[in-house]
Amino acid sequence: MRGVNLGGWLVLDPVVVPSLFEPYINATPPARDEWTLSIAMAADTARGGLNQLEKHYDTFITEEDFAQIAAAGLNWIRLPIPYWAIEKYPGEPFLEKVAWKYVLKAFKWARKYGLRINLGLQTIPGSPNGYNNSGKSGHVNFLYGPMGLANAQRTLDYIRVITEFISQAEYAPVVPMFGLIHSPYVVDIGVDQITSFYLQAHDMIRNITGTGKGKGPFISVDESHFGFEYWKDFLPGHDRLALESSMQFPPPPLEGTIGPLYSKMDIPCEFWGSALNSSWTNFGVSLASEFNLAINDCGLWVNGIGLGSFWELDSSDGIKRDCTEWNDWASWDQQLKDGFKAFALKQFDALGHWFFHTWKIGPYSASGKVESPMWSYQLGLKEGWIPEDPRQATGVCGNFSPAQPLTPEMVGAGSPGTIQASVRAKYPWPPTKLNPGNLNPYSVPVYTATGAIPTLPVATPTSETLDGWYNDADTRPMYTPITGCRGWIVLVLNEDPVAD
């Protein structure tokens, strides 16, 4: 897998699309994530309100981008999508259902240009990590806190709806991998709790698709910065799980000692390569879902809107640091470009199966140029610091600690695996307790499975046999708020919705 993320397209990220956030960074509330941006845009009817987002969907990524990606020697795309492409609940400010129209365009263009898609559910109700590219920044409210279980119920339903769609014969060859949750903050959520959720999701998906090779997508789960080795024995007997990681630079043990580019050149081969190869051998399909050429945190809003570079501010060693040289890509000389290209080749070879983050960075309106150049594959390709053909990377690291071939069980061949009863007993659904404070899952708000199923629309024209739902036997109603609850209140201190 040699791919790029289409970050910032259907799930907004201020690093990737700063021009969308610029007009609203001083709004009330100030735009810091898609939640607050949506509130600000909706109030700005003079600029078109929330419809500004569809203009962005329509112009930021087009068919031309897919053609360029294929021409660059890449063969996969990781496509982050939001849950509000399916639906939203009252009180959620997002642009509902419109993004799905562009997901269908992505499927069409990927098929046309011979690309496969790793579809990633980037946002989920409550946020899995509190990051500003998770829909709503600040607090984790998925499988954590009073509404954590209810938000997990909604998430399972959205995973279900997407699985039903992409398992249809027309889409299954284009979307052979489905990432369930992006970077859940397991330090808060808890390992047992997230494992219970993944087991429940695994069983739900395989009840829809069946088990064994060719029946539904690979299910990709995030290692949550615990390291690949931690998860090597994860859910033994599973059917086609993949393990993904957002590879942050620099990796241990050099964290916090960021220096010139050439001092970091061999780190991917020395650290990343062995980790990925070991995981490929011990767990199965393993990949880097995000990485880039950044050797520091320079770049506009990399740490969040209004926050500068922590590297630049660090004077503990008496060294004065300046991000200007790393952001002003137009002044980079050939030696620096060649250095980044060599660095890219080492990363590509070390990771083996990867998705660069991201394909495109939009310009900052105030300067008219890209302000986070180390994050843009497209810009690097154009300006000469990304290799024209990523296959040139093969063998650059010397192939030490090579991965062993995948076993038949890892790809669903032969007899389908069976998750042992002892594992199921250890990780029940719902979990036996929730963080923080050992909350009893039977004493927190939950939803009821009485709602209508929001089947996703298919593209037109298309096969008459497609209706957006693969398995007609899957008829359980959707989770929905319980009749009689009076609605929602918002706690002023943390802005977390709770059932009233």
Side-chain angles (χ1 to χ4, degrees):
M1 288 178 276
R2 302 181 302 273
V4 285
N5 281 270
L6 296 185
W9 183 26
L10 304 179
V11 177
L12 304 186
D13 184 333
V15 176
V16 183
V17 285
S19 62
L20 286 178
F21 288 82
E22 281 179 82
Y24 305 106
I25 59 175
N26 294 315
T28 303
R32 295 293 184 266
D33 50 29
E34 192 156 350
W35 181 287
T36 49
L37 177 66
S38 297
I39 293 172
M41 280 187 167
D44 188 4
T45 56
R47 284 191 172 97
L50 267 182
N51 290 331
Q52 295 177 78
L53 291 181
E54 183 162 15
K55 181 179 180 181
H56 162 73
Y57 296 159
D58 196 47
T59 57
F60 185 66
I61 296 291
T62 66
E63 182 177 348
E64 175 65 22
D65 290 284
F66 280 71
Q68 290 181 16
I69 288 167
L74 301 167
N75 56 13
W76 279 73
I77 282 170
R78 184 172 178 272
L79 179 62
I81 63 172
Y83 73 81
W84 50 89
I86 302 171
E87 67 173 13
K88 68 177 184 179
Y89 272 18
E92 295 175 340
F94 306 114
L95 182 62
E96 184 181 30
K97 299 182 179 181
V98 177
W100 186 252
K101 170 182 174 182
Y102 296 88
V103 174
L104 293 176
K105 287 179 182 286
F107 293 170
K108 175 184 176 181
W109 296 333
R111 186 192 309 277
K112 180 175 181 178
Y113 294 101
L115 301 166
R116 289 181 172 85
I117 291 178
N118 176 5
L119 190 66
L121 186 57
Q122 179 89 5
T123 74
I124 59 175
S127 177
N129 49 44
Y131 300 162
N132 64 0
N133 59 5
S134 71
K136 186 177 184 182
S137 58
H139 302 275
V140 176
N141 284 294
F142 162 80
L143 270 185
Y144 183 87
M147 284 302 295
L149 183 55
N151 284 328
Q153 289 177 312
R154 285 182 68 190
T155 301
L156 284 168
D157 264 346
Y158 298 149
I159 290 171
R160 172 187 172 212
V161 169
I162 293 167
T163 299
E164 289 283 6
F165 190 95
I166 64 176
S167 298
Q168 298 174 106
E170 185 162 329
Y171 295 104
V174 182
V175 192
M177 184 171 287
F178 180 21
L180 302 189
I181 307 175
H182 177 64
S183 200
Y185 195 65
V186 176
V187 171
D188 279 357
I189 295 170
V191 172
D192 288 353
Q193 289 80 357
I194 200 68
T195 303
S196 293
F197 178 86
Y198 282 143
L199 176 55
Q200 181 73 3
H202 169 277
D203 290 351
M204 178 187 69
I205 291 171
R206 294 306 175 216
N207 284 336
I208 292 169
T209 67
T211 58
K213 187 175 182 179
K215 296 182 178 179
F218 267 81
I219 304 167
S220 185
V221 298
D222 197 297
E223 57 86 16
S224 302
H225 305 301
F226 277 53
F228 285 104
E229 179 70 14
Y230 186 87
W231 304 99
K232 68 179 182 179
D233 298 318
F234 185 66
L235 295 182
H238 63 74
D239 183 62
R240 288 167 297 142
L241 288 181
L243 191 59
E244 66 178 45
S245 175
S246 298
M247 306 298 286
Q248 301 295 317
F249 197 84
L254 298 179
E255 207 161 8
T257 62
I258 302 172
L261 171 60
Y262 284 91
S263 70
K264 305 293 178 279
M265 192 66 71
D266 293 326
I267 290 176
C269 294
E270 293 177 3
F271 293 96
W272 291 357
S274 59
L276 265 295
N277 287 343
S278 294
S279 186
W280 192 267
T281 299
N282 297 323
F283 176 84
V285 175
S286 305
L287 56 119
S289 59
E290 292 183 343
F291 75 103
N292 51 48
L293 297 183
I295 63 167
N296 51 42
D297 62 351
C298 293
L300 181 67
W301 297 339
V302 164
N303 294 312
I305 294 176
L307 298 176
S309 162
F310 300 140
W311 172 79
E312 191 175 48
L313 294 173
D314 180 15
S315 59
S316 59
D317 55 6
I319 298 175
K320 180 176 175 56
R321 297 174 170 84
D322 189 351
C323 278
T324 302
E325 63 174 316
W326 301 109
N327 296 340
D328 186 15
W329 53 269
S331 67
W332 290 356
D333 60 22
Q334 193 60 47
Q335 182 181 14
L336 185 55
K337 291 181 179 182
D338 289 345
F340 271 122
K341 182 180 288 189
F343 187 45
L345 289 170
K346 287 179 181 288
Q347 292 194 66
F348 295 170
D349 193 38
L351 296 173
H353 302 274
W354 48 264
F355 294 87
F356 189 96
H357 184 65
T358 186
W359 167 244
K360 175 186 288 187
I361 297 287
Y364 182 47
S365 298
S367 64
K369 68 175 186 176
V370 172
E371 295 285 355
S372 301
M374 293 180 285
W375 293 55
S376 176
Y377 200 100
Q378 184 189 56
L379 181 64
L381 196 62
K382 177 183 177 183
E383 297 296 330
W385 66 79
I386 288 286
E388 293 182 357
D389 184 351
R391 291 171 295 184
Q392 297 170 0
T394 302
V396 167
C397 285
N399 200 31
F400 57 87
S401 302
Q404 299 302 307
L406 295 174
T407 66
E409 292 78 15
M410 291 173 177
V411 295
S415 300
T418 301
I419 296 177
Q420 296 176 358
S422 60
V423 174
R424 296 185 177 281
K426 184 177 179 181
Y427 302 110
W429 184 257
T432 56
K433 60 183 179 181
L434 299 173
N435 292 321
N438 295 328
L439 295 173
N440 184 339
Y442 297 100
S443 301
V444 298
V446 293
Y447 296 124
T448 181
T450 58
I453 298 174
T455 306
L456 290 167
V458 299
T460 54
T462 191
S463 168
E464 294 180 359
T465 63
L466 294 183
D467 60 5
W469 203 255
Y470 172 74
N471 189 336
D472 290 338
D474 180 12
T475 59
R476 176 184 61 77
M478 293 278 284
Y479 285 109
T480 191
I482 297 172
T483 302
C485 285
R486 290 175 294 167
W488 299 89
I489 59 173
V490 175
L491 301 180
V492 175
L493 292 178
N494 61 15
E495 300 181 354
D496 297 334
V498 296
D500 183 16

